[in-house]
Amino acid sequence: MGRKAKFNDGVLVKRGPGKKTKKQKDPIFPKALREGDESDDKKLSHRQKQRVRKRLQKKTRLVKTEEEAPEPVTESTWLTPSKSHDDTKIIPSSDDEESDEPQGFTDDNKQWLKPRKKQDSDDEESDNLKVGTLDDISDESSDDDLLPIEQQNKQLKQQQEEDDQLAEEELQMNIADQEKFKLPTKKEREQTASLQEVQQRIRDVVGVLSDFGKLRDKKHSRSDYLEMLKSDLCTYYSYNEFLMERFMQLFHLTELLEFLEASEVQRPLTIRTNSLKTRRRDLAQALINRGVNLDPVGKWSKVGLVVYSSQVPVGATPEYLAGHYIIQGASSLLPVMALAPQENERVLDMAAAPGGKASHIAALMKNTGVLFANDVNNDRIKAIVGNFHRLGVVNSVITCMDGRKFPAMLKGFDRVLLDAPCTGTGVIAKDQSVKTSKDEYDIQRCYNLQRELLLAAIDCLNAKSESGGYLVYSTCSVLPEENEWVIDYALKKRNVKLVDTGLEFGNEGFTSYRQFRFHPSLKLTKRFYPHTHNMDGFFVAKLKKFSNLIPKSNDDEDEKESKKEVNIETEEVVSKKPKIKEKCSKESKKEVEEEKEKIKEPKMNDESVEDKITSKNQKSRKRKSGGEKVVDEKLKPSTSQQKQEATKKKAENGMNWEDIPKEASLKLNKKMKMIAKKKQ
Ligand code: SAH
């Protein structure tokens, strides 16, 4: 056993009590041997020793890196710490040992730039803390400098960036899904739980159909996809399959979706200034003063105003009650504008209730001439009376009778408006019941009535009118069966030609649709859609009557045919198709263009045009009827016998305006009122 070394410079330690316990003195080492021993200065704890070791290691590493990269680290000025040792104490250190750290800014000491709060009191932890990059430091410092609102803004921007990124990822996923889309089985379809799923499937199917060759599943045909789409559209938009199919035949897929969407949204509220009582500018000012936010409906109308919002009910303002305006859809202005009634004319509105368009006609006529406003519905007639009183219409006779019988009572009008009863497929936003209540028979009923009313309306017109001889046919339906097909029918049955409506905008009417082929001049008709023109779906056609003669044809047979069941009728049209085509090819485009040129109001000379068109028409009729002689009134020799026959005919067919001197028209108005009252 050796003796224990004593490191206390020979200071005596108390010895034990007895001799036996006597110990040898501790060995004393000379000072020179004890150089470098730290115990002289201060006793360090184990942890402190560890830290010192670490620091030494770091120092050596730093020296090495400085040697490798002699260039000093350059930072932005506000980040560069001051060179003096004192300045490094800006943030006071809690530990004296910190003074041992390298002076000036280095990667080792940049931690001090961090907010003080974040420094952990525990030395060990703070030692283990990872020091962030300079960018981090600058960010954190700048965040501190920002105002709360700027910080919020920054957060929002970050969030938006994240959202954009997510949306982009979602889009990519959708595209990927689209490529993978497979038609669901019947079971899968039945299990569809939400409308969102249906909507997604609609998008998918439309996507596939838009590039069918590439994206299709070869097990399924196009009609499988279309069937799927139809049933999904019916579910999503709540239509019956019949009407949806009609719309699918009418529109391309993208347009179909636009139309369906637009039919879910109400059109803007529009009003028509009653020019009999006020001017649009004055009315607008008066309404603005009442808190109505409005604008002119467009350059195309001088009387229409669109109401964006209002603090008062627009249908109950003093101006409304005084008859300064009427609430009317923008599309309702179009047929009357196309009709262009003139002062002192005799005009008929065959289906007028509640009188929106009729009162517009009266306003354009400036309350002169005579306006007959007719409707078959007794209850709706009251609305005409009310509106006319309020709006100050005084040139009118209101009658209540079936329009089809009107020519038997009165004809010889300068202009006729037939705003026909229809299925209302253009105004679904107003009346959602159309979606489910219409079927094939409703459409058939409508177009049969429309055809009859149109022929009657044409018969009421006077082809020899000095200023007119025009008829406007309109419906609030988008179905060609109620529009182009009805006009095409009238072109064949009466001496009428289509003329330009004079409306600046609107889509061209159809000349072909499904199995139908219409006269090329149907291009002159106009179609308006909710998704394209932001107004109710509407159809407008303007016809010019060029002869009062009614061409003879197998009317009875035709009437019977048109009333047959729809299925039979469709087949019939197919079988008739070549004939119609033949007719169209015979009447070359050039010919139609010439006629368009000639039949233009108001420059044209009606008489000369009439003669030319009549002779052309005769030729074509002769061709059609296999040489049947149809002679125009003008070409007939005027014998007394024929005159007698003519008066007989007039007596049979009812009164004609031609027979009535203008002064007597007021008396007639009274008579008509009496008749109407009796009928009621
Ligand atoms: N032109 C009117 C709206 C007409 S709506 C306006 O702008 O205010 C279609 C109208 O046709 C309905 O009022 C309906 O009662 C009427 N009608 C239906 N069948 C008719 C017939 N056989 N003869 C005359 N009018 C008819």
Side-chain angles (χ1 to χ4, degrees), residues 93-108:
S93 170
S94 59
D95 203 337
D96 289 343
E97 293 157 8
E98 294 299 314
S99 60
D100 289 335
E101 286 184 349
Q103 289 174 16
F105 174 74
T106 70
D107 279 345
D108 297 310

Side-chain angles (χ1 to χ4, degrees), residues 220-370:
H220 299 284
S221 66
R222 183 181 281 271
S223 60
D224 292 338
Y225 282 91
L226 286 171
E227 269 304 309
M228 173 91 237
L229 181 64
K230 187 172 74 180
S231 92
D232 279 346
L233 287 175
C234 287
T235 314
Y236 190 72
Y237 292 103
S238 316
Y239 281 77
N240 65 17
E241 292 224 341
F242 164 76
L243 196 59
M244 189 54 77
E245 197 172 315
R246 285 294 158 109
F247 287 153
M248 286 174 82
Q249 288 162 348
L250 187 61
F251 298 113
H252 293 294
L253 283 183
T254 40
E255 203 184 357
L256 171 72
L257 295 182
E258 283 169 11
F259 172 78
L260 295 174
E261 275 301 322
S263 296
E264 296 296 299
V265 188
Q266 289 286 324
R267 302 276 76 76
L269 176 70
T270 48
I271 59 176
R272 176 177 61 80
T273 316
N274 179 18
S275 54
L276 292 175
K277 292 202 171 180
T278 185
R279 287 181 304 173
R280 181 164 71 173
R281 201 191 303 162
D282 299 337
L283 172 67
Q285 195 53 57
L287 291 177
I288 287 167
N289 291 345
R290 295 195 187 281
V292 182
N293 181 12
L294 44 72
D295 251 338
V297 79
K299 279 184 184 170
W300 55 272
S301 166
K302 285 177 186 167
V303 288
L305 286 164
V306 57
V307 177
Y308 301 120
S309 62
S310 174
Q311 290 169 13
V312 287
V314 181
T317 62
E319 285 75 19
Y320 177 84
L321 298 172
H324 289 192
Y325 65 91
I326 181 169
I327 298 171
Q328 217 176 4
S331 55
S332 292
L333 306 175
L334 302 169
V336 181
M337 286 168 67
L339 188 69
Q342 309 290 309
E343 285 173 49
N344 295 311
E345 280 188 336
R346 295 144 174 168
V347 182
L348 165 68
D349 185 349
M350 193 172 253
K357 293 180 193 77
S359 58
H360 190 187
I361 293 172
L364 291 179
M365 292 168 76
K366 296 189 178 151
N367 256 339
T368 63
V370 188

Side-chain angles (χ1 to χ4, degrees), residues 350-357 374-377 380 401-403 419 421 453:
M350 193 172 253
K357 293 180 193 77
N374 175 69
D375 202 282
V376 76
N377 188 324
R380 286 169 69 90
M401 61 185 291
D402 189 332
D419 184 35
L453 283 170

